[in-house]
């Protein structure tokens, strides 16, 4: 598989248009993934899943979405059963998670379903189209909307903002250290169609401010150390903080605390590319044909969240979160089920994969809240409850 030559040309134009003949790595990653016509998420929308470049928990069956629905139902109760209750999914991929959550709410929590407003914020026009097709049956049943951030009034949402594997897909700035100083990695033109990296002064003081927020002191790091800074994640939290009046933010993704993320031994950062389930670290090949991600720095989300009015409620691992919400009972009831043997084994394998500590079971689950009164704030969320 070759790079997408139209995308390469668009990036070349962008670099040429810049007075310094370069763009930040974040701008490069944004174009590669989200160029509206040629970006990975515009052209490879159907390449996500078991047969594609990578799969997420939602491709392992309906259980992940159903367990989230259990958590949302409790949140609705904690908030005093508000009408409407908004579930706002950010980065909804192919729409599977939305279908699983809505179907389960319809079956199990009809009172909640009756007052549900489901909003999707999705950057990729191609995926938005896929989601609309998949969710068309629900359009008659509930208020279902696709919005941009500007469409949502400040301080208007009562409910829960949530995402699965969104923040790892945000374009990141890359930095390195030279003579003990912070430098940014830019992308410039090599011999066509190749790109080269250019190292120079940071494009914004926000890079060092981010590291200060994380209490990372670069004077302890060796020259040549390289990593990323996810400024887009902070902008995203600002928006959530502005729009949420009362409720929760649930973020599920792979990542580390800042001290692990910026461990001096992790000296090449966490940037990874995925092509047909193969992982490597070269973002300059297969341009537009491969996914590029970076791990999530959960410390930055927690600390920046506080400054946006989002208080940390708890942090756990996906495996523990799903067990607390009832996945364990689903596994134990399997042997008594009437499913044909092969199907039963397949289902058991999927449920185990959701909990796998070497896979998605080790993902981080961060819960933050805003605007809760004392009674609401003391309620323990089911997914964070410690098993007896
Ligand atoms: C890795 S996929 C995960 C999809 C889905 N949540 C899942 O678990 O399968 C990332 C999704 O986030 C979307 N996305 C990336 N940046 C976004 C942004 N700033 N706002 C909204 N959606 C975004 C992508 O288009 C894609 O749908």
């Amino acid at each position: 598989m070759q790079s997408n030559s139209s995308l390469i040309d668009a990036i070349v134009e962008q670099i040429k248009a810049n007075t310094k003949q370069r763009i930040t790595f974040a701008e490069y990653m944004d174009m590669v993934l989200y160029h509206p016509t040629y970006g990975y998420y515009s052209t490879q929308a159907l390449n996500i899943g078991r047969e594609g470049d990578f799969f997420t928990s939602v491709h392992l069956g309906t259980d992940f979405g159903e367990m989230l629905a259990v958590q949302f139902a409790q949140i609705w109760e904690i908030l005093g059963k508000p009408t409407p209750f908004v579930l706002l999914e950010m980065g909804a991929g192919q729409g599977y998670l939305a279908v699983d959550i809505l179907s389960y709410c319809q079956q199990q929590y009809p009172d909640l379903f009756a007052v549900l407003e489901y909003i999707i914020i999705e950057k990729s026009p191609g995926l938005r189209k896929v989601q609309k097709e998949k969710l068309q049956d629900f359009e008659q049943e509930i208020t279902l909307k696709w919005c941009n951030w500007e469409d949502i009034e400040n301080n208007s949402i009562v409910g829960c903002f949530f995402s699965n594997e969104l923040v790892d897909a945000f374009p990141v700035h890359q930095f390195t250290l030279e003579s003990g100083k912070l430098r940014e990695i830019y992308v410039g033109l090599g011999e066509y169609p190749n790109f080269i990296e250019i190292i120079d002064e940071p494009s914004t003081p926000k890079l060092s401010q981010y590291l200060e927020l994380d209490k990372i002191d670069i004077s302890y790091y060796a020259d040549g150390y390289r990593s990323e800074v996810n400024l887009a994640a902070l902008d995203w939290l600002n928006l959530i903080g502005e729009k949420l009046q009362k409720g929760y933010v649930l973020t599920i993704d792979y990542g580390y605390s800042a001290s692990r993320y910026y461990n001096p031994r992790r000296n090449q950062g966490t940037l990874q590319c995925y092509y047909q389930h193969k992982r490597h670290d070269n973002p300059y090949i297969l341009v537009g044909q491969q996914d590029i991600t970076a791990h999530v720095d959960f410390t930055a989300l927690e600390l920046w969240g506080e400054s946006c009015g989002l208080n940390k409620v708890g942090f756990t691992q996906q495996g523990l979160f799903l067990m607390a919400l009832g996945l364990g009972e689903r596994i134990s009831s399997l042997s008594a089920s009437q499913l044909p043997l092969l199907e039963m084994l397949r289902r058991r394998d999927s449920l185990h994969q959701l909990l796998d500590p070497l896979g998605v079971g080790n993902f981080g689950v961060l819960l933050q809240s805003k605007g809760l009164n004392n009674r609401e704030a003391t309620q323990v969320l089911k997914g964070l409850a410690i098993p007896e």
Side-chain angles (χ1 to χ4, degrees), residues 34 41 56 58 91 93 121-124 127 164-166 170:
Y34 304 111
Y41 280 101
T56 70
V58 308
I121 295 187
E122 170 55 59
K123 182 162 175 164
S124 154
L127 284 173
N164 182 54
E165 295 205 34
L166 167 74
F170 286 163

Side-chain angles (χ1 to χ4, degrees), residues 142-193:
I142 55 160
T143 308
L144 178 59
K145 291 194 277 204
W146 280 259
C147 291
N148 297 315
W149 288 102
E150 314 77 80
D151 305 329
I152 301 170
E153 263 179 55
N154 283 354
N155 221 20
S156 65
I157 301 290
V158 176
C160 187
F161 281 77
F162 71 100
S163 63
N164 182 54
E165 295 205 34
L166 167 74
V167 184
D168 72 77
F170 286 163
V172 290
H173 290 259
Q174 282 198 302
F175 69 87
T176 188
L177 301 178
E178 272 182 352
S179 310
K181 294 223 161 54
L182 189 70
R183 294 275 181 257
E184 181 157 2
I185 295 169
Y186 297 84
V187 180
L189 298 174
E191 193 177 323
Y192 185 86

Side-chain angles (χ1 to χ4, degrees), residues 224-261:
Y225 175 86
R226 175 182 176 127
S227 193
E228 317 83 33
V229 158
N230 194 338
L231 295 182
L234 308 190
D235 295 340
W236 168 75
L237 284 171
N238 286 340
L239 287 165
I240 298 177
E242 274 167 31
K243 307 297 175 188
L244 183 61
Q245 182 195 121
K246 178 171 174 158
Y248 291 83
V249 186
L250 166 64
T251 307
I252 305 178
D253 219 317
Y254 45 92
Y256 308 117
S257 63
S259 57
R260 283 190 65 200
Y261 196 110

Side-chain angles (χ1 to χ4, degrees), residues 19-295:
T19 47
K20 293 189 171 166
Q21 301 285 287
R22 67 186 194 196
I23 53 176
T24 64
F25 183 81
E27 289 168 317
Y28 171 79
M29 184 167 163
D30 192 42
M31 285 191 84
V32 165
L33 296 181
Y34 304 111
H35 185 284
T37 319
Y38 310 121
Y40 175 80
Y41 280 101
S42 305
T43 62
Q44 306 297 311
L46 298 174
N47 258 353
I48 309 175
R50 287 209 199 223
E51 310 300 322
D53 296 322
F54 65 93
F55 69 88
T56 70
S57 296
V58 308
H59 299 100
L60 292 170
T62 57
D63 302 271
F64 180 70
E66 292 175 0
M67 294 296 96
L68 293 195
V70 172
Q71 183 57 85
F72 296 143
Q74 187 211 10
I75 286 178
W76 182 54
E77 288 195 4
I78 291 176
L79 297 181
K81 302 191 173 178
T83 303
F85 176 72
V86 178
L87 285 177
L88 198 150
E89 182 176 1
M90 300 159 291
Q94 298 139 313
Y96 291 117
L97 185 56
V99 170
D100 297 341
I101 291 169
L102 287 171
S103 307
Y104 200 65
C105 286
Q106 191 170 26
Q107 289 160 26
Q108 300 293 325
Y109 307 109
D111 295 349
L112 164 61
F113 189 73
V115 300
L116 206 54
E117 193 171 312
Y118 203 97
I119 302 178
I120 292 181
I121 295 187
E122 170 55 59
K123 182 162 175 164
S124 154
L127 284 173
R128 219 177 296 149
K129 196 160 157 260
V130 173
Q131 293 157 12
K132 284 187 178 163
E133 280 162 17
K134 204 147 287 150
L135 286 160
Q136 59 190 351
D137 287 352
F138 289 102
E139 268 176 314
Q140 331 298 335
E141 309 275 346
I142 55 160
T143 308
L144 178 59
K145 291 194 277 204
W146 280 259
C147 291
N148 297 315
W149 288 102
E150 314 77 80
D151 305 329
I152 301 170
E153 263 179 55
N154 283 354
N155 221 20
S156 65
I157 301 290
V158 176
C160 187
F161 281 77
F162 71 100
S163 63
N164 182 54
E165 295 205 34
L166 167 74
V167 184
D168 72 77
F170 286 163
V172 290
H173 290 259
Q174 282 198 302
F175 69 87
T176 188
L177 301 178
E178 272 182 352
S179 310
K181 294 223 161 54
L182 189 70
R183 294 275 181 257
E184 181 157 2
I185 295 169
Y186 297 84
V187 180
L189 298 174
E191 193 177 323
Y192 185 86
N194 298 318
F195 297 110
I196 53 165
E197 291 190 339
I198 297 169
I199 295 174
D200 203 351
E201 296 283 322
S203 59
T204 161
K206 287 181 181 171
L207 297 194
S208 51
Q209 287 160 6
Y210 181 106
L211 294 172
E212 278 161 28
L213 171 79
D214 265 344
K215 302 192 175 48
I216 298 300
D217 182 350
I218 58 165
S219 65
Y220 289 107
Y221 291 74
D223 272 3
Y225 175 86
R226 175 182 176 127
S227 193
E228 317 83 33
V229 158
N230 194 338
L231 295 182
L234 308 190
D235 295 340
W236 168 75
L237 284 171
N238 286 340
L239 287 165
I240 298 177
E242 274 167 31
K243 307 297 175 188
L244 183 61
Q245 182 195 121
K246 178 171 174 158
Y248 291 83
V249 186
L250 166 64
T251 307
I252 305 178
D253 219 317
Y254 45 92
Y256 308 117
S257 63
S259 57
R260 283 190 65 200
Y261 196 110
Y262 296 112
N263 185 316
R265 278 177 298 182
R266 198 186 304 286
N267 59 10
Q268 293 304 301
T270 71
L271 198 88
Q272 291 177 339
C273 308
Y274 287 88
Y275 178 65
Q276 295 183 348
H277 290 288
K278 289 192 200 73
R279 193 169 65 180
H280 66 89
D281 62 3
N282 187 350
Y284 304 112
I285 59 170
L286 295 165
V287 179
Q289 308 289 348
Q290 64 178 2
D291 190 27
I292 309 178
T293 79
H295 280 50

